[in-house]
Amino acid sequence: MRIGTNELLIILVVVLLIFGPKNLPKLGKMFGKTMSNFKKGMDETEDDDDSSDKKEEKKDEKKDDEE
Protein backbone atom coordinates (compact mmCIF):
# COMPACT_ATOMS: atom_id res chain seq x y z
CA MET A 1 0.00 0.00 0.00
CA ARG A 2 1.49 3.28 -1.07
CA ILE A 3 0.67 6.80 -0.01
CA GLY A 4 -0.33 8.98 -2.93
CA THR A 5 -0.27 12.72 -3.38
CA ASN A 6 -3.87 13.11 -2.23
CA GLU A 7 -3.12 11.38 1.06
CA LEU A 8 0.01 13.46 1.59
CA LEU A 9 -1.93 16.67 1.01
CA ILE A 10 -4.59 15.61 3.50
CA ILE A 11 -1.93 14.78 6.09
CA LEU A 12 -0.22 18.13 5.50
CA VAL A 13 -3.50 20.02 5.95
CA VAL A 14 -4.30 18.16 9.17
CA VAL A 15 -0.82 18.85 10.56
CA LEU A 16 -1.14 22.50 9.55
CA LEU A 17 -4.48 22.78 11.33
CA ILE A 18 -3.22 21.08 14.47
CA PHE A 19 0.14 22.81 14.90
CA GLY A 20 -0.33 26.05 12.98
CA PRO A 21 1.94 27.63 10.38
CA LYS A 22 4.37 29.11 12.92
CA ASN A 23 5.32 25.75 14.43
CA LEU A 24 5.82 23.83 11.17
CA PRO A 25 9.48 24.90 10.70
CA LYS A 26 10.24 23.86 14.27
CA LEU A 27 8.60 20.49 13.72
CA GLY A 28 10.54 19.97 10.48
CA LYS A 29 13.81 20.81 12.19
CA MET A 30 13.08 18.47 15.10
CA PHE A 31 12.09 15.68 12.72
CA GLY A 32 15.30 16.15 10.71
CA LYS A 33 17.46 16.01 13.84
CA THR A 34 15.61 12.94 15.03
CA MET A 35 16.14 11.14 11.74
CA SER A 36 19.85 12.04 11.61
CA ASN A 37 20.37 10.84 15.20
CA PHE A 38 18.52 7.63 14.39
CA LYS A 39 20.74 7.00 11.36
CA LYS A 40 23.89 7.70 13.40
CA GLY A 41 22.71 5.28 16.06
CA MET A 42 22.04 2.58 13.48
CA ASP A 43 25.50 3.08 11.95
CA GLU A 44 27.16 2.89 15.38
CA THR A 45 25.24 -0.28 16.18
CA GLU A 46 26.39 -1.89 12.92
CA ASP A 47 29.98 -0.83 13.61
CA ASP A 48 29.79 -2.28 17.12
CA ASP A 49 28.44 -5.56 15.76
CA ASP A 50 31.23 -5.75 13.19
CA SER A 51 33.95 -5.01 15.74
CA SER A 52 32.56 -7.53 18.24
CA ASP A 53 32.51 -10.21 15.53
CA LYS A 54 36.15 -9.46 14.72
CA LYS A 55 37.10 -9.63 18.41
CA GLU A 56 35.44 -13.02 18.75
CA GLU A 57 37.28 -14.30 15.69
CA LYS A 58 40.62 -13.13 17.13
CA LYS A 59 39.84 -14.86 20.45
CA ASP A 60 39.02 -18.08 18.60
CA GLU A 61 42.28 -17.85 16.62
CA LYS A 62 44.32 -17.33 19.83
CA LYS A 63 42.66 -20.36 21.44
CA ASP A 64 43.49 -22.49 18.37
CA ASP A 65 47.12 -21.31 18.42
CA GLU A 66 47.51 -22.14 22.11
CA GLU A 67 46.29 -25.69 21.62
Side-chain angles (χ1 to χ4, degrees), residues 35-67:
M35 290 303 295
S36 66
N37 287 336
F38 179 75
K39 288 179 182 178
K40 286 179 186 176
M42 291 299 292
D43 290 340
E44 289 175 1
T45 302
E46 290 175 1
D47 291 342
D48 291 344
D49 290 343
D50 291 341
S51 64
S52 65
D53 290 342
K54 290 178 183 177
K55 288 179 183 177
E56 288 178 10
E57 289 176 4
K58 288 181 181 178
K59 287 180 183 177
D60 292 339
E61 289 176 2
K62 286 182 181 178
K63 287 180 183 177
D64 291 341
D65 292 340
E66 290 175 358
E67 293 176 358

Side-chain angles (χ1 to χ4, degrees), residues 23-40:
N23 291 333
L24 283 182
K26 292 178 188 177
L27 289 173
K29 191 174 184 178
M30 286 190 323
F31 182 73
K33 285 183 180 180
T34 302
M35 290 303 295
S36 66
N37 287 336
F38 179 75
K39 288 179 182 178
K40 286 179 186 176

